Amino acid sequence: MDEKSLMIEVAGITFDATVCIMTVLTCLIVFAIVFFCSRNLQMKPKGKQNVLEFIVDFVRGIVSDNIPKKEVNDFHLLGFTFFMFVLVSNILGLVTKVVIFPDEISLWKSPTADPLVTMTLALIAIILSHYYGLKKQGVKGYFVNSFLKPTAILFPIKIIEEFTNVLTLGLRLYGNIFAGEILLTLIANLGASSPTKFVLALPLEVIWQTFSLFIGAVQAFIFVTLMMVYLSHKIEAEH
C-alpha cells in the first residue's frame, strides 16, 4: 500500500496537513496530560499525581546524569518538555490508522515518522545548546570551549560535528519510528488480505505494537539524553 499524506496549499506553499494536524494534536495531548495530572496537588501524592511525578523524576534523572548538578534546575523543564513531546509523538501512530480509500491518504501517523519533524526537533536542540553556551560563557568563552579545545587543530572537525549532530539526532529518531509504522502497516495489510492470514496477523500486530511502544519510549529517552550531552558540552568548560 502506497500511503500518502493529506497535502494542502496555502499562499503557494504546500503543507503536509497530516503532519501538521498530528503535531498540534501531540501538543494538545501533552498539555492535557500535564494539566489533568497536576490538578489538586497534594504533599502525599497518589493516583494521577504519582504518574506525573514519576515522569518528572525520571527526566530529572536524565538531566542530572549529563549536565553539572548546579545547572539541573535550569534545564529540567526543557528536558521534560522535549521528552513528553517526543514520547507522545512516537506512540500516536502506533495506536491506530486512519486512511481514506481509495486514494490511500493517511490522516493519522506519528509526527516523528516524518524526517522534517525529527530534523526540526534536532535542529532546535542543537541551536538551544549553542544559545545556552553563549549565555553561560559569553562569546569568547563559548567559542574557545566549543571549537578550540582541547586543541585548535580540531576546529574544522568541530564545525563538521555540529552538522553531524543534527543529522544523527534527527535521523535516528525518524528511522526507528518510521520503520515501526511501516512494519505495522505491512502486518495489517497481511491480515486484511484473507481471513486465514488475519488469524496469523492479529497476534503479530499486538506483539509488534507492544514492542514499538517500548521502542518509542526508548527513543524519547535517547533523544533527551543526547540533547543534554550536547548541551553540557556547550555550558561546561573543558579542561
Side-chain angles (χ1 to χ4, degrees):
M1 180 176 68
D2 184 19
E3 187 177 293
K4 303 175 183 177
S5 294
L6 177 64
M7 308 300 291
I8 59 174
E9 187 172 317
V10 178
I13 303 175
T14 302
F15 293 89
D16 188 326
T18 301
V19 171
C20 292
I21 292 170
M22 296 307 296
T23 301
V24 172
L25 180 60
T26 299
C27 295
L28 293 176
I29 291 174
V30 171
F31 176 81
I33 291 173
V34 175
F35 182 84
F36 175 74
C37 293
S38 61
R39 298 305 91 190
N40 303 317
L41 296 178
Q42 302 175 8
M43 289 298 296
K44 187 176 181 180
K46 58 181 180 180
K48 60 185 182 180
Q49 186 178 339
N50 269 329
V51 175
L52 182 61
E53 291 199 10
F54 171 79
I55 300 175
V56 169
D57 289 341
F58 179 74
V59 176
R60 189 176 186 86
I62 299 174
V63 177
S64 61
D65 286 343
N66 294 285
I67 67 173
K69 301 296 182 182
K70 61 181 180 180
E71 308 285 357
V72 171
N73 289 334
D74 292 338
F75 300 108
H76 183 206
L77 181 58
L78 177 66
F80 176 80
T81 303
F82 268 84
F83 180 83
M84 289 296 294
F85 180 85
V86 174
L87 177 63
V88 174
S89 295
N90 289 350
I91 65 177
L92 268 185
L94 304 174
V95 177
T96 186
K97 279 286 183 184
V98 179
V99 179
I100 298 178
F101 294 97
D103 295 328
E104 306 290 0
I105 296 178
S106 175
L107 299 179
W108 187 288
K109 68 177 183 180
S110 295
T112 43
D114 186 285
L116 290 179
V117 174
T118 59
M119 293 301 292
T120 300
L121 287 172
L123 184 61
I124 292 173
I126 299 302
I127 289 175
L128 284 175
S129 71
H130 287 282
Y131 167 76
Y132 285 113
L134 282 166
K135 185 177 180 181
K136 292 287 183 179
Q137 300 193 62
V139 176
K140 182 179 178 180
Y142 152 79
F143 183 79
V144 172
N145 181 66
S146 298
F147 302 105
L148 302 182
K149 287 187 177 181
T151 172
I153 298 175
L154 296 177
F155 178 72
I157 297 176
K158 292 276 190 176
I159 294 294
I160 296 173
E161 186 181 44
E162 297 303 323
F163 293 97
T164 58
N165 285 344
V166 176
L167 289 174
T168 55
L169 189 60
L171 293 180
R172 178 187 292 106
L173 178 59
Y174 161 69
N176 280 275
I177 305 307
F178 180 72
E181 287 201 5
I182 287 294
L183 189 52
L184 284 172
T185 302
L186 292 175
I187 296 173
N189 288 341
L190 175 66
S193 61
S194 72
T196 305
K197 292 179 180 178
F198 175 80
V199 176
L200 174 64
L202 183 59
L204 288 176
E205 185 83 2
V206 173
I207 292 171
W208 186 255
Q209 195 169 48
T210 303
F211 180 70
S212 295
L213 289 172
F214 171 73
I215 293 298
V218 169
Q219 288 303 314
F221 167 78
I222 292 174
F223 187 94
V224 175
T225 299
L226 291 176
M227 177 183 175
M228 290 301 153
V229 169
Y230 298 149
L231 184 61
S232 70
H233 290 167
K234 294 294 182 292
I235 65 174
E236 188 176 16
E238 291 188 20
H239 300 286

